[in-house]
Amino acid sequence: MDRKKVDVIIPCYKPGKRFLELIAKLEKQTYPVNHIYIMNTEEKYFTNLVYGHQFETEHKNVTVTHISKMEFDHAATRSEGISKSDADFFILMTDDALPKDDTLVEELIKPIESGEAAASYARQLPNKDCRYIEKYTRVFNYPKKSMIKSSQNLKSMGIKTFFFSNVCAAYDRKIFDKLGGFVNFAIFNEDMLYAYKLIEKGYKIAYVAEANVYHSHNYSNMQQLHRNFDLGVSQAEHPEVFKKFPSTGEGKRLVRMTTRFLKKQGKAYMIPRLYISSAYKFLGYKLGTNYRKLPEKLVMKLTMNREYWLKKNIRDAASRIDPYSGYGISKEERK
């Protein structure tokens, strides 16, 4: 059987040495990667990383596109990278995800290649320096057992049905194009919004526990607040999805399960830390879902993505002048 062509698209910002290791590992996969497209934000950071390396000579199957921070968008930047590819399947990764072994691509695309699913996502393992509580969060969100998710799971799993992560995810290109790809403009959650679209249209999503990447963060409480603020904003921007399937219930379940885990492991002394961290997350989330009620100065202090709001203000102003602006609708179609 002829192998399908697979490309990898990686948005990149202030990459470290781990990124170079990621590229090296992608080039040694058992299922060959055809091409790697890097969408790098701010050229100076990338230049500093590869200084002294013959990067373009060493990695002939890599194309780097530089954009400014103002140009970056969670959805649009990925879509631009995808538009450069003509592969049958594409994989989206973040610059801090690291394949555990050389079978990542092979395992990740199996359910797509077989026709079982239209998209798949990998299991995220904690890094060596990952904090104890966060290690359990990895297990909670990325268990050891693979599964195929469809609309039949909505009643029992709710929002978890279309839980999906572009930290490492594969897509069927034909279906992606057929459904119109990602939303045009997103502060966060472009992956889950697309996953919801797949489920709604009758397609299936695969969680592939055999495809492993190392990826975790040791966020401070304030970093969690900022991150969850943007998460809340993304949900407020798409009530057609998140009002039907709120995420608060899943957050409460995580806290309950983590509390139980800490007690079982004899680490009950960590429970106050868990509750404080969870309070910051919830506060950030609630502020984000109610961002329209907040003064603009406070929004800019709470967000992780100031450029999003600057662009949003421009788009909102343009839409007041022309309600069809930014939607790619021609004058003839408007009539």
Side-chain angles (χ1 to χ4, degrees):
M1 184 178 69
D2 292 336
R3 284 192 159 183
K4 299 287 188 179
K5 190 188 290 186
V6 178
D7 287 344
V8 179
I9 294 94
I10 308 172
C12 193
Y13 180 55
K14 293 185 178 180
K17 291 182 180 180
R18 184 184 178 98
F19 171 75
L20 298 177
E21 191 177 351
L22 163 61
I23 299 300
K25 282 183 173 289
L26 287 175
E27 292 178 331
K28 296 176 182 176
Q29 292 291 300
T30 54
Y31 197 116
V33 172
N34 173 64
H35 205 87
I36 301 170
Y37 295 94
I38 299 167
M39 300 300 297
N40 176 67
T41 301
E42 298 298 340
E43 185 173 0
K44 60 184 178 181
Y45 300 118
F46 193 88
T47 301
N48 289 341
L49 175 68
V50 301
Y51 181 77
H53 293 262
Q54 299 296 320
F55 188 81
E56 293 183 4
T57 304
E58 294 171 4
H59 307 287
K60 295 186 184 299
N61 69 329
V62 177
T63 299
V64 184
T65 300
H66 298 291
I67 62 173
S68 68
K69 200 173 180 186
M70 189 65 182
E71 290 175 290
F72 174 79
D73 177 82
H74 271 268
T77 299
R78 287 176 168 84
S79 296
E80 185 182 345
I82 294 162
S83 71
K84 298 176 184 296
S85 166
D86 63 355
D88 303 287
F89 308 140
F90 63 87
I91 294 173
L92 288 172
M93 295 187 73
T94 54
D95 61 15
D96 59 348
L98 195 64
K100 179 186 177 184
D101 52 41
D102 59 3
T103 64
L104 172 69
V105 173
E106 184 174 350
E107 295 292 347
L108 191 61
I109 67 168
K110 270 183 184 178
I112 303 177
E113 196 169 29
S114 68
E116 284 184 279
S120 61
Y121 65 105
R123 184 183 183 198
Q124 295 182 30
L125 302 173
N127 292 317
K128 287 182 180 179
D129 66 346
C130 184
R131 292 175 187 154
Y132 196 80
I133 292 175
E134 178 60 21
K135 283 182 180 179
Y136 181 77
T137 303
R138 298 289 101 185
V139 175
F140 180 86
N141 286 324
Y142 305 96
K144 292 181 180 180
K145 188 177 180 181
S146 297
M147 74 174 300
I148 302 291
K149 300 186 287 186
S150 71
S151 58
Q152 293 182 354
N153 298 104
L154 285 169
K155 191 172 182 179
S156 60
M157 294 181 66
I159 194 172
K160 204 77 170 179
T161 308
F162 48 96
F163 177 80
F164 195 78
S165 176
N166 272 342
V167 164
C168 185
Y171 295 76
D172 184 309
R173 178 61 182 272
K174 283 185 179 178
I175 296 174
F176 184 83
D177 289 345
K178 179 183 175 182
L179 297 185
F182 295 130
V183 295
N184 293 327
F185 185 56
I187 190 171
F188 215 64
N189 261 341
E190 81 294 331
D191 41 15
M192 282 185 66
L193 289 169
Y194 178 73
Y196 172 79
K197 190 190 297 186
L198 282 177
I199 296 293
E200 188 184 39
K201 297 296 183 181
Y203 294 100
K204 296 178 181 179
I205 297 166
Y207 164 61
V208 188
E210 295 77 20
N212 293 274
V213 292
Y214 290 107
H215 180 263
S216 59
H217 292 287
N218 290 324
Y219 288 129
S220 68
N221 288 333
M222 282 307 298
Q223 285 174 322
Q224 287 285 12
L225 187 146
H226 292 311
R227 186 177 187 277
N228 277 42
F229 175 81
D230 287 354
L231 174 67
V233 169
S234 73
Q235 295 195 9
E237 294 278 78
H238 294 277
E240 75 281 3
V241 176
F242 296 105
K243 272 201 171 180
K244 286 191 288 184
F245 301 100
S247 61
T248 49
E250 195 64 19
K252 290 175 183 176
R253 190 168 80 90
L254 172 58
V255 174
R256 287 198 306 271
M257 296 289 286
T258 308
T259 301
R260 192 179 305 167
F261 171 76
L262 292 173
K263 288 179 179 178
K264 190 175 180 180
Q265 296 299 312
K267 296 185 182 293
Y269 64 89
M270 289 187 173
I271 292 174
R273 188 185 308 169
L274 166 67
Y275 288 173
I276 292 169
S277 173
S278 299
Y280 273 86
K281 289 180 185 179
F282 184 69
L283 177 60
Y285 171 78
K286 291 300 289 184
L287 288 168
T289 55
N290 291 282
Y291 80 89
R292 293 182 180 91
K293 300 176 183 177
L294 304 178
E296 186 175 346
K297 284 186 178 180
L298 180 56
V299 168
M300 296 302 274
K301 286 182 179 180
L302 290 169
T303 186
M304 291 176 69
N305 189 348
R306 293 172 63 88
E307 289 73 21
Y308 170 85
W309 297 97
L310 298 174
K311 288 183 287 187
K312 180 174 167 51
N313 288 342
I314 294 170
R315 289 167 67 95
D316 289 350
S319 67
R320 285 193 289 271
I321 298 169
D322 178 1
Y324 294 96
S325 66
Y327 291 91
I329 303 174
S330 68
K331 290 182 179 179
E332 290 74 20
E333 290 174 310
R334 301 178 195 183
K335 293 177 181 178

